[in-house]
């Protein structure tokens, strides 16, 4: 369809809100609808009056994330923000307003802020981390094993994830519940809750940093405080918020989707339980079908350019449509056996900002899923799969809860 006709159609029909792709029963149907009308890149609405491009083609997404000279991570380049069309208290702020972290930086500035993140990941003692995660999963399961019912999001995936991330940074146990509530609010959609949550996270990180000033430790807070690339407490706090936020949300979602697919898709569960699909292949299949971060903010065009036949203007925001790009037929075959081992998905993104934590994220998720499958006998979903509700967010798609039942553990008699 010529660009002018598309523009008229856009004016007549309005745009699909981005949150419609995450909150609906079948996201791939929503992405297909957009692709049928617009092709590999479609205009969407982030909030009323705030438009952006959703990049859905695998090739186009790679082009955008690999060319920082044309597509910047720094939202100071976002025209709608410069023009005041996005309100200062917008719910988009937490994910899209400029911050002094690697996620919002390009070129040399990004490499300076990224190297502490890479150093943090490579400093991890994987055996110790695995022991910690295994113990955390077992403790959580013990807390509900004799009940015969549980919510595998609120009582398991989210708790294992926050306790692990908080553990890496040495946040003490008294602060962990508050940290979780604050991180959920911070990356949610409510602007008022975000402001309060931001202050709460600052308070918790401030307490942790103050404790480390007196007694240093081998946790990541101490590593960041010692790191010569981070200038002052503000950059230490920004790097910590970035890692905690990215880690908490993505790990929760990856555990949640793997367990959800196990419990609601008989073919998936059958292949996994029947040994035809190893747990790592199952985790990869989830990264393809339901990536933990299905839509990610953002890149900002530094020049006028054409993308998938559309005129992108300097200052336009481009949202990274990981879930849509993963379904692009150009990177798939019709043979399911050839798909096993294919890791060309974009769940981790690509280019300089690709996730630095792929290895520990897989280890944490693998242990959490494996422990639940082994320690909850006859576990099954307690509601029909199509009644699963989704937490509201334009960026991620996490079940609000995953109620399950299983054979309760009988306590040994004394
Ligand atoms: C569980 C699965 C995870 C997935 C699917 C995932 C996905 C991603 C993606 C797609 C990006 C790149 C976004 C872009 O190109 O703009 C990213 C960046 C990042 N992730 Fe992950 N992530 C996961 C887990 C984690 C964990 C556990 C941590 C930390 C503990 C983490 C820390 C980060 C950081 C710090 C960045 C920003 C890097 C930069 O801007 O240079 N992620 N992640």
């Amino acid at each position: 369809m010529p660009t002018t006709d598309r523009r008229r159609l856009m004016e007549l029909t309005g745009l699909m809100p981005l949150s419609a792709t995450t909150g609906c029963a079948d996201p791939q149907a929503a992405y297909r609808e957009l692709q049928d009308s617009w092709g590999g890149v479609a205009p969407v609405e982030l909030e009323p009056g705030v438009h952006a491009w959703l990049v859905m083609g695998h090739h186009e997404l790679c082009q955008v994330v690999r060319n920082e000279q044309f597509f910047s991570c720094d939202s100071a380049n976002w025209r709608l923000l410069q023009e005041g069309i996005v309100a200062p208290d917008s719910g988009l702020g937490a994910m899209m307003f400029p911050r002094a972290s690697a996620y919002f930086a390009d070129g040399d500035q990004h490499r300076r802020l990224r190297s502490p993140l890479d150093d943090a990941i490579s400093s991890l003692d994987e055996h110790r981390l695995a022991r910690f995660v295994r113990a955390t999963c077992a403790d959580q399961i013990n807390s509900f094993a004799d009940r015969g019912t549980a919510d595998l999001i609120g009582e398991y995936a989210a708790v294992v994830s926050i306790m692990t991330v908080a553990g890496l940074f040495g946040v003490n146990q008294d602060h962990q519940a508050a940290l979780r509530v604050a991180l959920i609010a911070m990356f949610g959609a409510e602007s008022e809750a975000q402001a309060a949550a931001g202050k709460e996270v600052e308070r918790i990180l401030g307490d942790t940093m103050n404790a480390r000033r007196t007694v240093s430790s081998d946790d990541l807070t101490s590593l960041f405080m010692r790191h010569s690339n981070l200038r002052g407490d503000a950059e230490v706090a920004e790097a910590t918020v970035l890692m905690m936020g990215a880690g908490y949300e993505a790990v929760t979602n990856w555990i949640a989707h793997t367990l959800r697919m196990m419990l609601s898709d008989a073919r998936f569960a059958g292949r996994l339980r029947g040994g035809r699909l190893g747990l790592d292949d199952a985790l990869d299949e989830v990264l393809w079908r339901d990536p933990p971060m299905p839509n990610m903010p953002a890149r900002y065009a530094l020049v006028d350019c054409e993308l998938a036949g559309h005129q992108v203007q300097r200052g336009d925001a481009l949202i990274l449509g990981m879930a849509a790009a993963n379904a692009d037929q150009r990177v798939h075959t019709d043979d399911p056996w050839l798909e096993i081992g294919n890791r060309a998905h974009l769940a981790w993104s690509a280019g300089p900002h690709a996730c630095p934590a792929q290895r520990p994220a897989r280890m944490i998720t693998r242990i959490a899923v494996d422990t639940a499958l082994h320690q909850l006998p006859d576990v099954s979903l307690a509601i029909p799969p199509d009644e699963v509700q989704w937490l509201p967010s334009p960026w991620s798609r996490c079940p609000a809860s995953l109620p399950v039942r299983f054979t309760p553990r009988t306590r040994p008699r004394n």
Side-chain angles (χ1 to χ4, degrees), residues 38 49 69 159 163 178 227 276 278 334 365:
W38 303 96
Q69 69 276 34
V159 183
M163 287 180 75
H227 206 289
R276 279 169 291 139
D334 289 335
T365 307

Side-chain angles (χ1 to χ4, degrees), residues 101-117:
S101 76
Y103 193 62
F104 294 88
D106 306 313
D108 289 347
Q109 171 80 338
H110 172 255
R111 307 308 180 264
R112 174 175 76 79
L113 294 169
R114 166 85 183 211
S115 82
L117 309 177

Side-chain angles (χ1 to χ4, degrees), residues 36 309 386:
D36 288 348
D386 57 6

Side-chain angles (χ1 to χ4, degrees), residues 5 87 130 135 142 195 268 333 347 390:
D5 290 356
N142 285 340
F268 185 81
T333 63
W390 306 98

Side-chain angles (χ1 to χ4, degrees), residues 273-334:
R273 288 214 169 98
R276 279 169 291 139
L277 194 66
L279 186 46
D280 280 304
D281 295 321
L283 292 173
D284 283 336
E285 190 160 325
V286 174
L287 290 181
W288 276 106
R289 281 167 57 177
D290 246 313
M293 305 306 294
N295 303 319
M296 284 210 75
R299 299 295 187 268
Y300 306 90
L302 292 175
V303 289
D304 293 348
C305 57
E306 191 184 300
L307 197 62
H310 298 288
Q311 290 305 316
V312 171
Q313 286 177 4
R314 183 174 170 199
D316 281 356
L318 297 114
I319 306 302
L320 312 178
M322 276 53 184
N326 280 356
D328 189 331
Q329 281 312 307
R330 288 174 291 181
V331 290
H332 289 284
T333 63
D334 289 335

Side-chain angles (χ1 to χ4, degrees), residues 65 102-103 110 114 117 121 168 242-243 246-247 250-251 254 287 292-293 296-297 299 320 322 346-350 352-357 361 365:
V65 293
Y103 193 62
H110 172 255
R114 166 85 183 211
L117 309 177
I121 297 297
L168 291 176
L242 174 61
M243 272 203 122
V251 170
W254 198 6
L287 290 181
M293 305 306 294
M296 284 210 75
R299 299 295 187 268
L320 312 178
M322 276 53 184
L346 290 170
W348 307 110
S349 189
H353 288 264
C355 181
T365 307

